[in-house]
Amino acid sequence: MRSGGARRTAAASAALGFLLTVLSACVGPSGHDAADPASARPSASRGGATADPTRIPGVGERLQRRIPADSRQVVAVYGEGRDSADSTVVLYAKQGSAWHRARGWAAHNGKKGWTTDHRENDKRSPVGVFTLSDAGGVLPDPDPAPGAGLPYTRSDAFAAPRWWAKSYWHDFDYVIAIDYNRVKGTPPNDPTRPEGASKGGSIWLHMDHGSGTSACVSLPEQGMEYLLRTLDPDLHPVVVMGDRAHLEA
């Protein structure tokens, strides 16, 4: 049985200015690209995959050593190219000293690809290893075990503005905060950015609308539900994300 921090619940809507601030890094109508069929995307096992079960496949030494020693869950985001919005997400779980692939999904990242120096509104997702500490969304937490999993904040404040294209309206039904330029232990839509506004923020795992985002990583609904039911703060989950070249470096 997993155990975790107490859940947070909220129902009040936020002011419009606050909503736009915290959602600006995730997606908007300007981020809409043509959808790429999942069947056309290469498998996450190609390229630099390694046979060493003690390492995350396709991740080189530089990022591999940034994975905390006590982490037993890794969400790997394999971007198809530096300037591509297409990616594959794979959840790995550690059993003993070996990593095992638990589940994978076709996904999207920033509409302009990836960067090692993310800036506000650059439309690129940041390359790196980041902890996963908090979750939330418009919908109730899908995890059926009360008090388990990532702390979850339910709030209408996550709802996408209705002047966005209809395909974006459900993007934030479920979100998991990526701990890039944010304060851990706060709701994902907390706008505090410790490294300053110019470094961007509010970068999340969230539901997919079929094309690139403004910096977040988006997954199908079933993928988000699975992660919210599976990620356990006691197992110190992290995300390792980037285009394949940067991941393998």
Side-chain angles (χ1 to χ4, degrees):
M1 179 73 70
R2 294 185 294 142
S3 63
R7 301 293 181 148
R8 296 184 299 265
T9 350
S13 296
L16 177 60
F18 174 77
L19 175 65
L20 294 179
T21 298
V22 298
L23 298 187
S24 63
C26 286
V27 69
S30 62
H32 188 76
D33 295 327
D36 180 37
S39 59
R41 294 182 197 142
S43 166
S45 63
R46 73 168 172 91
T50 173
D52 184 351
T54 66
R55 299 168 65 86
I56 299 297
V59 178
E61 183 60 30
R62 182 179 63 87
L63 293 179
Q64 198 86 42
R65 63 173 175 258
R66 290 177 55 188
I67 299 173
D70 59 357
S71 179
R72 304 191 70 81
Q73 291 179 320
V74 167
V75 178
V77 184
Y78 298 95
E80 296 304 321
R82 183 182 184 277
D83 300 320
S84 172
D86 300 322
S87 55
T88 302
V89 169
V90 178
L91 174 64
Y92 294 97
K94 198 171 190 179
Q95 300 172 13
S97 62
W99 289 102
H100 298 272
R101 183 185 187 277
R103 199 71 65 89
W105 306 271
H108 290 95
N109 49 267
K111 64 174 294 190
K112 291 187 177 180
W114 297 90
T115 179
T116 57
D117 185 22
H118 176 66
R119 298 289 169 173
E120 182 77 358
N121 295 322
D122 66 6
K123 310 300 182 187
R124 292 181 180 272
S125 297
V127 175
V129 179
F130 309 100
T131 53
L132 300 171
S133 305
D134 302 280
V138 176
L139 297 179
D141 186 355
D143 191 336
L150 300 176
Y152 190 94
T153 300
R154 182 189 182 188
S155 174
D156 291 340
F158 287 100
R162 285 309 186 253
W163 63 81
W164 287 6
K166 192 172 182 178
S167 59
Y168 296 85
W169 287 4
H170 296 286
D171 281 12
F172 313 127
D173 283 358
Y174 297 127
V175 308
I176 298 171
I178 294 171
D179 292 335
Y180 169 89
N181 198 17
R182 71 177 300 269
V183 178
K184 297 180 187 179
T186 63
N189 56 359
D190 186 315
T192 306
R193 297 182 178 179
E195 298 178 44
S198 65
K199 291 289 291 180
S202 296
I203 296 177
W204 303 338
L205 301 172
H206 67 68
M207 292 193 8
D208 191 57
H209 56 262
S211 63
T213 71
S214 288
C216 296
V217 174
S218 58
L219 288 74
E221 181 176 5
Q222 63 269 29
M224 287 300 300
E225 289 180 342
Y226 185 85
L227 290 179
L228 287 167
R229 290 170 178 154
T230 305
L231 294 180
D232 182 352
D234 289 345
L235 300 180
H236 308 285
V238 300
V239 60
V240 181
M241 54 194 282
D243 58 282
R244 292 181 187 275
H246 276 114
L247 288 177
E248 294 169 4

